[in-house]
Amino acid sequence: MSIQPPIRAEYQLELTPLQEVALAQPLPLIVRCWNQQWLRQLSVLLILLVLWELAARWQDNDLMFPGFLQTLRALTEDMSSGELPAKVANSLSTLLKGYAIGSLLALGLSALAASTRFGRDLLHVLTSMFNPLPAIALLPLALLWFGLGEKSLVFVLIHSVMWPMALNTYAGFLGVSDTLRMAGRNYGLRNWRYVAYILIPAALPSILSGLKIGWAFAWRTLIAAELVFGASSGQGGLGWYIFQNRNELYTDRVFAGLATVIVIGLLVEGLIFASIEKLTVKRWGMQR
């Protein structure tokens, strides 16, 4: 005797009609504008510029503290004459050479430390010795070894970039998960292929942080070094431009040089590094 399951009666549930719901009103224009990060940052910048101009007018001493408008006028004049762009180009040319060499050396040292025990000991000893040493302190020694020229600046820049980037890169290598490490070894990756295909992509956020820190260190070191001895390859850089105008009491041009240093730093940070992060680590979900 087979037992049939009970048949459930079908029924239709009548839904109550949807009541009219008031649509959400769009946010006011001022709220939508204030939600834009770039607009908030621009507002802060404009407030600072206004305070700068008001403080200069209250001080009423162009020699000691020129205002924003006077600085902008000097910046425009030197830009149009070609003097300031030539100084900037000379400084950036020297900076890129030292930055590139220092970054490659740091990456190689970090890869060696991640692969061998000797490399770890070498990285620990070298960073403990040289990372606390200010790069500008090596300038007299660089001048003795390489003379007055671009090579001395490049040597100092390599020192300023190499150690902070090596520490950040190695910290990123240590943070790579064991799952990725085992996957790489299971595919037979060894030596440089293991570093290139497993460690570097996984540690890219730390590597980018090291690149940004190294850029900031190198930029500050270059300006300070040019303030000390100035010209390289027969031409002065941006630091030398600031130093010369300070000697000639052109304070507005000194402020124009400082403003140029700040603007270049903001452009590199906001355009180059931000674009690289957006195309890599943020796109891959490795960073918020």
Side-chain angles (χ1 to χ4, degrees), residues 277 281-282 285-288:
E277 289 179 348
V281 294
K282 290 184 178 180
M286 302 172 67
Q287 192 178 73
R288 296 179 62 182

Side-chain angles (χ1 to χ4, degrees), residues 21 24 44-45 65 89 141 156 164 234 271 281:
V21 179
V44 173
L45 180 60
F65 191 65
L141 191 60
V156 174
L271 294 181
V281 294

Side-chain angles (χ1 to χ4, degrees), residues 99 102-115 120 123 127 161-176 181 195-196 198-214:
Y99 184 72
S103 299
L104 292 176
L105 291 176
L107 185 60
L109 184 59
S110 301
L112 181 64
S115 305
R120 289 193 294 273
L123 177 65
T127 53
V161 172
M162 185 174 177
W163 311 117
M165 184 178 173
L167 288 175
N168 276 270
T169 304
Y170 182 63
F173 289 165
L174 293 180
V176 177
R181 295 176 183 271
V195 174
I198 298 297
L199 294 184
I200 291 180
L204 194 56
S206 297
I207 295 175
L208 288 177
S209 297
L211 287 172
K212 289 194 288 187
I213 295 173

Side-chain angles (χ1 to χ4, degrees), residues 60-111:
D60 195 22
N61 189 340
D62 294 341
L63 182 61
M64 297 295 295
F65 191 65
F68 168 70
L69 296 178
Q70 185 178 357
T71 301
L72 182 61
R73 190 181 307 112
L75 179 64
T76 305
E77 291 175 357
D78 286 353
M79 280 290 185
S80 60
S81 67
E83 179 183 2
L84 195 53
K87 305 293 185 183
V88 172
N90 187 56
S91 292
L92 290 180
S93 174
T94 304
L95 176 68
L96 291 177
K97 294 176 184 178
Y99 184 72
I101 297 174
S103 299
L104 292 176
L105 291 176
L107 185 60
L109 184 59
S110 301

Side-chain angles (χ1 to χ4, degrees), residues 75-274:
L75 179 64
T76 305
E77 291 175 357
D78 286 353
M79 280 290 185
S80 60
S81 67
E83 179 183 2
L84 195 53
K87 305 293 185 183
V88 172
N90 187 56
S91 292
L92 290 180
S93 174
T94 304
L95 176 68
L96 291 177
K97 294 176 184 178
Y99 184 72
I101 297 174
S103 299
L104 292 176
L105 291 176
L107 185 60
L109 184 59
S110 301
L112 181 64
S115 305
T116 64
R117 182 182 302 175
F118 171 75
R120 289 193 294 273
D121 295 337
L122 180 64
L123 177 65
H124 177 73
V125 172
L126 291 180
T127 53
S128 299
M129 291 171 55
F130 295 115
N131 192 41
L133 184 64
I136 198 66
L138 293 177
L139 185 58
L141 191 60
L143 295 176
L144 180 63
W145 288 349
F146 304 107
L148 290 172
E150 188 180 36
K151 293 181 179 179
S152 298
L153 292 177
V154 171
F155 174 79
V156 174
L157 291 174
I158 291 173
H159 172 81
S160 65
V161 172
M162 185 174 177
W163 311 117
M165 184 178 173
L167 288 175
N168 276 270
T169 304
Y170 182 63
F173 289 165
L174 293 180
V176 177
S177 65
D178 293 334
T179 304
L180 288 175
R181 295 176 183 271
M182 288 187 291
R185 293 191 179 98
N186 289 336
Y187 276 103
L189 299 178
R190 296 291 185 274
N191 300 327
W192 69 269
R193 298 177 71 239
Y194 173 72
V195 174
Y197 293 120
I198 298 297
L199 294 184
I200 291 180
L204 194 56
S206 297
I207 295 175
L208 288 177
S209 297
L211 287 172
K212 289 194 288 187
I213 295 173
W215 161 263
F217 279 25
W219 190 224
R220 288 182 296 181
T221 300
L222 176 65
I223 299 302
E226 289 180 344
L227 282 169
V228 172
F229 91 99
S232 63
S233 303
Q235 297 179 352
L238 189 54
W240 185 243
Y241 169 85
I242 297 172
F243 183 75
Q244 277 186 319
N245 285 292
R246 196 272 298 177
N247 287 339
E248 298 173 5
L249 298 180
Y250 293 140
T251 315
D252 53 348
R253 284 178 166 78
V254 173
F255 273 70
L258 296 176
T260 305
V261 173
I262 295 173
V263 169
I264 292 175
L266 291 175
L267 290 177
V268 172
E269 179 72 24
L271 294 181
I272 298 178
F273 286 117

